[in-house]
Amino acid sequence: MFHSEPTNIGNSFSVDLSDSLGVLRQVLNEIEPDIIVHLAAMTNVDQCETERNMADNVNHLSVKELVNYTENNKECFLLYVSTDYVFDGKKGDYVETDETNHINWYGMTKLLGEQELLKGNSENWCIARTSTPFGVHAKKLSFPSFVVKNLSQEHEINALTDQITSPTYALNLAEMMLELIENRVKGIMHLCGSSQISRFNQALEIASAYNLDKDLIKPASIKEMRWKARRPKNSSLNIKNAYNTLTKKPMEFKESLLLFAAEVH
């Protein structure tokens, strides 16, 4: 499992994290990075539930390899991107110090990845938890794109009223991550959008932004979903720490939509 899109910066190495992690170890020793940003993840929650070993390799054991490298290379800074799914979703508005409690295998593997950093000997790391990121992707249709595509074709869509997250615009996330790296911000930080909003209300906002028919958006609930894995009902993240620390601030969903629309068109 690896992305093959080329990069315009430096040399590119493909590492299949779903297979033997020995190749990752070799690449690290060969290129000797002084900054590692670990974005790779198996994020299909239902697939994680059925392909558990692969999910553990990608989301957990790969982090263990990176931590081992940083412990032998003390100057290397490691930024690990984690998820709101480390929480059970019973209360929402989670702060960094709240107790974690995953309810699916995806959340468990990402939490195990976090724990590799927490129990390691190096302190030169940051865990950035994010929530439902969206943006322009060559292969994956983001939620705003899905809504616009269907409503533009006058197709009805179902959107959940009872699952609340903190949707995060990818470019905003990237800017905040860059600031974490440049300033070597350490510890755990919630790095996501500032709005805490359901999929249903997101869809309404998207329809308004694109002047599309809101009546095509039909309310749905989690209990109607035929998912293999449970989802937290309210995994929204509190971004006060990020807002007070960073120059680039977490963005509200409405503001993100304007930039997303400009990026698409």
Side-chain angles (χ1 to χ4, degrees):
M1 173 182 289
F2 58 86
H3 294 289
S4 58
E5 280 78 10
T7 176
N8 295 324
I9 303 173
N11 298 318
S12 178
F13 297 85
S14 293
V15 179
D16 188 349
L17 298 181
S18 66
D19 198 6
S20 171
L21 294 172
V23 177
L24 174 59
R25 198 175 310 131
Q26 292 172 9
V27 169
L28 290 171
N29 291 330
E30 179 181 343
I31 64 178
E32 297 182 339
D34 55 5
I35 298 171
I36 299 174
V37 182
H38 189 22
L39 283 160
M42 185 170 168
T43 58
N44 184 315
V45 179
D46 284 346
Q47 185 184 10
C48 287
E49 208 69 23
T50 56
E51 300 181 40
R52 295 192 168 198
N53 288 338
M54 183 186 295
D56 190 54
N57 258 17
V58 175
N59 296 339
H60 165 216
L61 296 180
S62 64
V63 185
K64 186 174 184 178
E65 287 293 336
L66 298 178
V67 170
N68 288 339
Y69 173 83
T70 60
E71 289 182 347
N72 294 317
N73 298 268
K74 299 296 185 183
E75 298 303 312
C76 181
F77 180 76
L78 172 58
L79 174 59
Y80 172 54
V81 179
S82 190
T83 174
D84 53 340
Y85 273 36
V86 299
F87 297 109
D88 57 23
K90 290 182 179 180
K91 76 177 191 72
D93 196 34
Y94 289 98
V95 298
E96 287 84 351
T97 54
D98 277 332
E99 183 178 356
T100 54
N101 185 29
H102 58 83
I103 62 170
N104 54 47
W105 191 256
Y106 168 66
M108 179 179 179
T109 57
K110 293 297 288 184
L111 181 58
L112 288 171
E114 289 189 11
Q115 290 172 349
E116 292 295 340
L117 281 84
L118 291 166
K119 70 184 181 183
N121 294 323
S122 172
E123 297 181 356
N124 202 16
W125 54 261
C126 180
I127 295 169
R129 293 185 184 133
T130 194
S131 175
T132 46
F134 68 92
V136 177
H137 194 280
K139 297 179 180 178
K140 188 176 181 181
L141 200 64
S142 66
F143 186 67
S145 296
F146 165 81
V147 172
V148 171
K149 178 181 178 181
N150 281 276
L151 297 189
S152 297
Q153 297 172 357
E154 299 185 353
H155 295 161
E156 288 188 354
I157 62 170
N158 296 321
L160 297 175
T161 60
D162 56 352
Q163 187 184 30
I164 298 171
T165 63
S166 302
T168 310
Y169 181 42
L171 291 184
N172 184 217
L173 176 61
E175 289 177 334
M176 293 189 291
M177 286 172 50
L178 184 59
E179 193 170 338
L180 291 181
I181 296 165
E182 289 174 341
N183 296 319
R184 298 294 197 274
V185 177
K186 298 175 184 177
I188 300 175
M189 184 174 290
H190 289 170
L191 218 63
C192 58
S194 61
S195 300
Q196 300 181 0
I197 185 171
S198 69
R199 285 289 199 190
F200 181 77
N201 287 330
Q202 285 181 55
L204 293 178
E205 294 283 3
I206 295 163
S208 292
Y210 284 83
N211 196 27
L212 296 168
D213 187 358
K214 294 181 181 179
D215 291 336
L216 294 170
I217 304 167
K218 304 303 178 183
S221 65
I222 288 177
K223 65 182 180 182
E224 299 172 40
M225 299 297 103
R226 297 180 179 178
W227 287 329
K228 294 182 176 69
R230 294 171 62 200
R231 266 62 162 187
K233 281 197 169 184
N234 187 345
S235 58
S236 59
L237 301 176
N238 184 296
I239 47 80
K240 187 177 293 184
N241 188 19
Y243 194 87
N244 291 336
T245 302
L246 302 176
T247 302
K248 294 292 184 180
K249 308 298 184 183
M251 296 172 61
E252 292 186 356
F253 186 63
K254 283 185 179 180
E255 184 184 4
S256 296
L257 275 182
L258 294 175
L259 295 178
F260 175 75
E263 185 182 4
V264 171
H265 297 293

